[in-house]
Amino acid sequence: MPAKNNTQVLIDGKVFTLSGYEEEEYLNKVASYINNKIMEMKQEDGFRRQNKETQSILIQLNIADDYYKVKKQADLLELELEDKNKELYELKHDLISLQIKAEAAEKEIEKFRKEAAEYEKKIVKLETELISEQKKN
């Protein structure tokens, strides 16, 4: 199991120690996101007029909103990926089917070539016989 990482971060002017199995860079990134969300909310007049408890809930709601928007986008991308994978499977199936048909057609073409060569030999033989017959007469 990886070692637990501890890192100190600054959120809304206060120092917090974050602890987790994630890399320190990730923990800093999470703290930065929270700090930026707080700063963004503090720029709104309506937010600043609220008490601390309401501000905290508004920040939590905004973070949850961000989460669900990104989750919806990820779910849509996952569905799109599934559709693309199905389409790719169907295209591969079609390709294999066409390759089989092409191989069968090539075999048939080769068969016809052999038959044509045999007919050409017969024609040459018949022409030779005809010329021999004409010379005799």
Side-chain angles (χ1 to χ4, degrees):
M1 180 176 232
K4 204 170 193 180
N5 292 313
N6 295 315
T7 186
Q8 289 191 333
V9 296
L10 186 66
I11 299 176
D12 197 24
K14 297 177 186 109
V15 176
F16 292 90
T17 300
L18 297 184
S19 182
Y21 293 105
E22 294 83 4
E23 296 291 324
E24 186 175 332
E25 180 182 339
Y26 174 80
L27 296 174
N28 281 314
K29 194 174 191 179
V30 169
S32 176
Y33 170 78
I34 298 295
N35 200 45
N36 288 337
K37 184 56 73 172
I38 292 169
M39 294 304 133
E40 178 185 315
M41 297 294 293
K42 283 185 172 183
Q43 291 177 0
E44 300 292 325
D45 288 333
F47 178 82
R48 288 193 306 262
R49 288 189 291 244
Q50 303 299 320
N51 64 45
K52 292 290 181 190
E53 183 180 353
T54 302
Q55 286 179 353
S56 177
I57 290 172
L58 289 173
I59 291 168
Q60 292 169 31
L61 285 169
N62 272 269
I63 291 170
D65 179 53
D66 289 349
Y67 167 79
Y68 281 106
K69 284 178 181 173
V70 169
K71 184 175 182 334
K72 181 180 179 180
Q73 185 178 17
D75 290 345
L76 289 173
L77 288 172
E78 192 172 315
L79 287 174
E80 187 178 324
L81 179 62
E82 285 177 20
D83 288 345
K84 296 293 181 188
N85 284 335
K86 286 178 187 175
E87 185 180 341
L88 180 61
Y89 174 81
E90 290 171 3
L91 288 171
K92 284 180 179 179
H93 183 269
D94 291 347
L95 176 63
I96 291 168
S97 177
L98 290 171
Q99 285 174 334
I100 291 170
K101 287 180 182 177
E103 287 174 9
E106 285 176 18
K107 286 179 183 177
E108 197 167 345
I109 288 170
E110 188 58 33
K111 178 183 136 190
F112 289 141
R113 283 187 180 142
K114 287 179 182 178
E115 284 179 16
E118 290 297 318
Y119 287 131
E120 285 177 10
K121 287 178 186 177
K122 284 182 182 179
I123 290 170
V124 168
K125 182 181 175 190
L126 290 172
E127 286 175 344
T128 305
E129 288 175 3
L130 182 61
I131 292 172
S132 292
E133 280 295 316
Q134 286 177 349
K135 286 184 181 178
K136 284 181 185 176
N137 293 335

